[in-house]
Amino acid sequence: MKNGFAKRAEVQVAYAIGRAEPVSVRVDTFGTGDWKAAEDFVRTFDYRPAAMIETLSLRNPIYRSTTNYGHFGKPELSWEA
């Protein structure tokens, strides 16, 4: 993570139908750092769908580049930061 909590991290966010707030936020650092500090950090983000749409500029038509060779590992995409 950019804040130095871990070299590698995966964030899992789970939702329930009809609720804007997630029911669970979990972080796995794969043993590469402080998972508790990383989890505390990611819990500071606003995971409501409308907030994520705004934060990640998901209404901008930039998705053509995601149709070829997948949508992971492309630094020009805002969610790869």
Side-chain angles (χ1 to χ4, degrees):
M1 300 182 87
K2 284 187 174 184
N3 288 15
F5 298 121
K7 291 182 189 272
R8 180 177 172 208
E10 177 180 86
V11 178
Q12 177 188 55
V13 182
Y15 294 89
I17 294 173
R19 294 190 58 179
E21 296 287 336
V23 294
S24 172
V25 176
R26 181 182 164 277
V27 175
D28 186 353
T29 60
F30 304 97
T32 66
D34 184 349
W35 70 270
K36 182 61 176 149
E39 187 169 284
D40 290 344
F41 174 71
V42 300
R43 286 180 181 273
T44 65
F45 292 100
D46 189 349
Y47 289 104
R48 295 173 300 155
M52 288 191 300
I53 289 168
E54 181 67 28
T55 300
L56 298 173
S57 302
L58 297 179
R59 295 204 189 274
N60 294 338
I62 62 168
Y63 303 106
R64 185 175 300 269
S65 67
T66 67
T67 62
N68 295 324
Y69 311 111
H71 61 282
F72 295 107
K74 294 181 179 179
E76 68 273 13
L77 299 174
S78 61
W79 55 84
E80 290 291 328

